[in-house]
């Protein structure tokens, strides 16, 4: 028996520098105003090793759609909740070319981590024929603030 198959391997990749603006309209604090961060995502992968003894080929992210998906959603974008009472104003700003609008059911680090988890896991599973899955995504706003979404047991 191959001893290598007795172990579960994990690897992590950081994607950084996503200038993202959003607002949490339900907040009673300053978070109800438009604000932004240079978001960072730390994605943890788990699975069997490939023929090169890697869990993930990090170089493949440019071609497998994961980097493109992160860029689409978080690179110089404004993310607004679908039920924001001022959504129509943001739609107008987008139409005028003043923002790149993205909408989600809810916004914030927790929801961004969830969004990236779902999209990254789908892309990774497809590109590794199910050999690898995403088990955790951490969305980092600042060195002091982050949120994590983990695979359920």
């Amino acid at each position: 028996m191959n001893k290598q198959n007795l172990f579960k391997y994990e690897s992590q990749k950081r994607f950084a520098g996503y200038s993202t603006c959003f607002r949490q309209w339900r907040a009673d604090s300053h978070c109800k105003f438009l604000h932004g961060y240079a978001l960072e995502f730390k994605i943890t992968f788990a699975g069997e090793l490939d023929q090169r003894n890697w869990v993930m080929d990090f170089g493949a992210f440019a071609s497998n759609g994961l980097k493109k998906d992160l860029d689409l959603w978080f690179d110089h974008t404004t993310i607004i909740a679908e039920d924001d009472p001022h959504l129509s104003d943001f739609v107008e700003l987008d139409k005028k070319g003043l923002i790149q609008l993205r909408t989600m059911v809810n916004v914030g680090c927790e929801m961004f981590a969830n969004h990236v988890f779902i999209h990254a896991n789908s892309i990774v599973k497809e590109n590794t024929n199910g050999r690898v899955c995403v088990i955790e995504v951490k969305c980092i706003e600042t060195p002091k603030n982050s949120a994590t979404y983990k695979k359920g047991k």
Side-chain angles (χ1 to χ4, degrees), residues 73-86:
W73 279 94
F74 301 102
D75 190 19
H76 291 81
T77 60
T78 300
I79 304 176
I80 302 298
E82 292 173 356
D83 64 347
D84 189 303
H86 294 284

Side-chain angles (χ1 to χ4, degrees), residues 56-90:
M56 280 300 305
D57 176 1
F58 295 144
F61 292 132
S63 62
N64 72 9
L66 181 54
K67 177 84 170 71
K68 185 177 180 181
D69 191 70
L70 290 169
D71 289 348
L72 174 71
W73 279 94
F74 301 102
D75 190 19
H76 291 81
T77 60
T78 300
I79 304 176
I80 302 298
E82 292 173 356
D83 64 347
D84 189 303
H86 294 284
L87 179 60
S88 62
D89 296 324
F90 293 103

